[in-house]
Amino acid sequence: MKVIASDERTAVISRVIELLDPGSFMEMGERVSARYTEFYHPDSVVESDGVVTGYGTINGSLVFIYAQDNEVMGGTFGEQHGRKIVDLYERAIKAKAPVIGLLDCAGFRIEEGLDGLYQFAKLYKIQTKASQRIPQISAVIGQCGGGMSIAAQMSDFLYIEKDKGSIFVNPQGVVGNAIGDNPYVMALDDGELEWEEIMENIRMIIDMLPSSTDFAPDILEVSDEELNRSCEGIGGMLGDAKAILAELSDDGRLLEYRGRRGRSMITGFMRIAGQTVGVVACNEIEGRKRISAAGCNKAAALINMCTKFHLPVITITDTDGYKTDSTTETFLPTAAGRMLTALTSSDVPKFNLVTGSIVGSAYSMMNSKGLGADYVFMWDTANVSIVEPRQATEVIFGTWTSELEQQYRDTQSSAVALARHGFVDKVIAPEDSRKYLIGALQVFMNSR
């Protein structure tokens, strides 16, 4: 069997080098090639066996990275290919450093049979082990088929390169049921982005998240002026969760998590007073503030990740209740239960900022005091009611007048009323939101 030097890896390695700090990439296993098996006798094989593996740094932080090459052996996953990725994971776990995968794999290498399947099983096992210890980041830069589509979904973050990346379990031609014109199965991804945007997001992840669950997140230096900054104008941003989060953050940057899904909730990571926090914020869509099942699901996943990496959780609560459609009726109870379980079982500091007019039981599940929030702050303009205040007035008093409705608001649904009942720790002006959140974060500094 002839071994061919892999000059065709240049394009793949260039992506790796572009992502990492200049001069930091150290390749591992570059001479590894496919071996003879009982049913596999190729005339020649290419070095690297279709995957480049190694380590380097991003902004000075150690990362392990692998990049699949679809120009080698049809872009398939074989025995040595899989062994290289598994070996990379083992070293990353031991070094307590993140793993980044650039995925371009059409599926199993049929010629190698069970040897390749065995390595896929090993990969799933090591990914499961890694999921409780280090961040896993995947970017689909080409095809991501068969068993590799499952490996991709096991990552903490999953990006798809726009116009190039696709995920599928089975090729479209063999799928029995109609899936329309969609060339791939929609994944629970973090966005379909250009390569430059994917690189920027990966760098933000490495910057914000700790490299291992064994380490506390870094806290960056912030100027006194920034610490004491007032959020002027934030009161006029009601309904626009991303605008509110940008105003609260140190630098206006939000690393959004699963941004294409469940837009009734905006989830992600940002820094406040130099500290990374996870955020879940109710969001208005087309004039409606209704929580969806998809929003609850991604909120639950975000909270679980914060628990894993010891990051505080901040929720921004402003909702008129749940969406009223058949999909929500079918899936919301399970999704909401998943979010409630994530919140109540998490031992990280949890803070709730109530900003708007909230109606119904959705208030209770959004990190309320009764659910275990450590601090609840409420804008002095906000209110919470079981039903619409006018309807509540008619039920309680048997009639409605503006005076009676105001009486109901003052005694039952206003921020001061909630504070009197012990459901709110502090009624604040909207522009002071950042100051109070910073103070609460500092109180729990030792919980890290």
Side-chain angles (χ1 to χ4, degrees):
M1 179 174 62
K2 181 181 179 181
V3 179
I4 303 173
S6 184
D7 296 330
E8 298 187 11
R9 301 180 311 156
T10 305
V12 173
I13 292 181
S14 68
R15 292 235 194 186
V16 173
I17 292 173
E18 189 177 11
L19 177 60
L20 302 180
D21 294 337
S24 69
F25 180 56
M26 173 65 183
E27 188 174 357
M28 305 184 307
E30 61 183 304
R31 300 289 186 184
V32 171
S33 56
R35 67 178 181 85
Y36 281 117
T37 67
E38 184 178 356
F39 301 106
Y40 188 45
H41 305 284
D43 295 328
S44 63
V45 293
V46 181
E47 287 182 346
S48 85
D49 201 34
V51 61
V52 173
T53 58
Y55 60 88
T57 60
I58 292 179
N59 297 328
S61 297
L62 176 66
V63 298
F64 285 76
I65 187 168
Y66 69 93
Q68 294 175 312
D69 188 351
N70 68 0
E71 296 294 329
V72 176
M73 307 189 82
T76 53
F77 183 107
E79 177 195 17
Q80 296 291 68
H81 181 118
R83 178 174 287 134
K84 288 178 65 176
I85 300 175
V86 171
D87 287 347
L88 181 92
Y89 262 96
E90 289 175 345
R91 298 185 195 190
I93 292 171
K94 190 172 184 178
K96 300 178 181 180
V99 170
I100 301 169
L102 306 183
L103 310 183
D104 190 357
C105 175
F108 294 115
R109 189 176 302 163
I110 296 173
E111 297 91 340
E112 295 189 23
L114 297 179
D115 297 304
L117 288 175
Y118 176 76
Q119 288 302 323
F120 247 125
K122 295 279 285 185
L123 175 59
Y124 297 152
K125 182 179 179 181
I126 198 71
Q127 279 190 283
T128 302
K129 181 179 179 180
S131 69
Q132 298 303 314
R133 305 188 184 190
I134 58 175
Q136 298 180 71
I137 308 163
S138 293
V140 178
I141 60 174
Q143 296 185 90
C144 184
M148 208 64 211
S149 66
I150 299 171
Q153 292 282 199
M154 292 177 72
S155 301
D156 296 304
F157 297 89
L158 173 60
Y159 298 98
I160 301 174
E161 186 172 2
K162 192 173 183 179
D163 300 325
K164 295 181 180 178
S166 63
I167 293 182
F168 54 89
V169 179
N170 297 294
Q172 189 176 20
V174 302
V175 176
N177 61 308
I179 59 173
D181 296 326
N182 193 355
Y184 58 90
V185 177
M186 294 300 290
L188 291 175
D189 59 85
D190 292 276
E192 186 175 309
L193 308 173
E194 300 289 352
W195 170 241
E196 291 74 16
E197 296 173 300
I198 292 174
M199 287 195 296
E200 176 60 25
N201 276 270
I202 291 175
R203 289 169 182 146
M204 286 180 66
I205 294 169
I206 301 303
D207 176 61
M208 287 192 177
L209 265 60
S211 59
S212 166
T213 56
D214 291 335
F215 302 135
D218 292 333
I219 298 181
L220 305 183
E221 290 290 334
V222 178
S223 67
D224 291 341
E225 180 181 4
E226 180 65 15
L227 283 174
N228 296 310
R229 172 171 62 82
S230 179
C231 297
E232 299 297 336
I234 196 172
M237 299 174 183
L238 272 179
D240 189 346
K242 293 181 76 171
I244 290 175
L245 293 173
E247 184 64 28
L248 293 173
S249 71
D250 289 345
D251 50 14
R253 293 200 309 167
L254 170 69
L255 175 62
E256 197 169 352
Y257 177 71
R258 294 185 179 175
R260 294 198 296 176
R261 312 285 178 235
R263 299 294 294 173
S264 67
M265 300 271 206
I266 300 297
T267 59
F269 301 92
M270 65 185 193
R271 287 191 184 273
I272 296 183
Q275 183 172 353
T276 300
V277 298
V279 290
V280 176
C282 297
N283 187 47
E284 184 177 305
I285 304 174
E286 298 178 349
R288 295 174 64 83
K289 302 183 297 180
R290 295 283 183 174
I291 295 174
S292 68
C296 290
N297 275 329
K298 75 174 188 178
L302 184 283
I303 294 163
N304 285 333
M305 200 184 307
C306 288
T307 302
K308 179 169 65 174
F309 291 111
H310 319 298
L311 301 174
V313 173
I314 295 175
T315 53
I316 310 294
T317 304
D318 177 18
T319 178
D320 294 330
Y322 308 116
K323 286 186 70 176
T324 54
D325 57 37
S326 58
T327 300
T328 299
E329 287 294 313
T330 302
F331 297 107
L332 182 71
T334 301
R338 191 173 291 123
M339 177 179 166
L340 288 169
T341 300
L343 272 171
T344 56
S345 63
S346 177
D347 59 358
V348 303
K350 291 168 286 189
F351 313 111
N352 188 14
L353 176 63
V354 181
T355 59
S357 298
I358 299 136
V359 180
S361 61
Y363 160 76
S364 299
M365 62 172 274
M366 281 299 297
N367 198 20
S368 63
K369 198 73 174 175
L371 208 61
D374 294 296
Y375 274 103
V376 176
F377 302 107
M378 189 169 179
W379 286 0
D380 52 17
T381 53
N383 63 86
V384 177
S385 181
I386 296 176
V387 294
E388 290 289 344
R390 176 163 183 154
Q391 182 182 353
T393 302
E394 292 172 343
V395 170
I396 292 173
F397 297 103
T399 186
W400 177 88
T401 66
S402 58
E403 292 79 12
L404 287 175
E405 181 175 328
Q406 190 59 51
Q407 181 182 341
Y408 168 79
R409 288 178 180 274
D410 291 341
T411 60
Q412 297 295 321
S413 69
S414 69
V416 171
L418 267 73
R420 285 174 178 158
H421 285 82
F423 304 145
V424 170
D425 292 294
K426 184 73 175 178
V427 177
I428 64 174
E431 58 268 22
D432 293 332
S433 299
R434 177 175 158 83
K435 298 176 186 178
Y436 281 102
L437 287 173
I438 289 174
L441 285 167
Q442 291 176 340
V443 165
F444 287 92
M445 191 69 69
N446 289 338
S447 70
R448 300 167 65 247

